Amino acid sequence: MRNREITLTPGAEPQEALGIARAALERHGYRWVSQTDSSAEVHEGGKEIRGLAVPFKLRMNLAVQHDRLVMEAVVHGLGLPTPNGAPAGTLRIRNKLNHCADLVDSALSQAGLVR
């Protein structure tokens, strides 16, 4: 799973949704880099991650598309296979993406922006 989607209330402003997402993620040590009024890039660890081969670090794109906030992992972990055959780093990245999506979903729910 490379992305997660959160359904927003109809008419939710992209800047408001992204602002709430930004606050939730920055509280947990993520670096926010705005791209446009309706999108941003987020880097784990407080600094920008350059390149795709940084193991175990999450870099993701966030974008408001229609009435959805889409969170997509850009960096994939590398590592030894786990018993189910998936690389350990990939599982860590997926778990971090899911954790971030849960943080953002909770913050948006508290603000009344999740359908």
Side-chain angles (χ1 to χ4, degrees), residues 65-77:
Q65 301 171 353
H66 307 290
D67 288 333
R68 296 174 298 127
L69 176 63
V70 179
M71 303 173 73
E72 180 182 17
V74 176
V75 172
H76 301 282

Side-chain angles (χ1 to χ4, degrees), residues 28-44:
H28 286 85
Y30 286 84
R31 169 105 164 97
W32 187 274
V33 180
S34 295
Q35 302 294 313
T36 67
D37 287 345
S38 62
S39 68
E41 194 171 78
V42 178
H43 303 259
E44 179 184 4

Side-chain angles (χ1 to χ4, degrees), residues 37-99:
D37 287 345
S38 62
S39 68
E41 194 171 78
V42 178
H43 303 259
E44 179 184 4
K47 332 184 243 193
E48 288 188 43
I49 299 169
R50 302 197 190 280
L52 293 176
V54 179
F56 307 118
K57 292 286 186 176
L58 174 63
R59 185 176 89 202
M60 64 185 155
N61 292 326
L62 274 73
V64 176
Q65 301 171 353
H66 307 290
D67 288 333
R68 296 174 298 127
L69 176 63
V70 179
M71 303 173 73
E72 180 182 17
V74 176
V75 172
H76 301 282
L78 307 170
L80 300 173
T82 60
N84 70 0
T90 300
L91 294 176
R92 286 184 182 174
I93 294 296
R94 184 180 65 206
N95 289 341
K96 290 176 186 183
L97 175 65
N98 288 336
H99 177 70

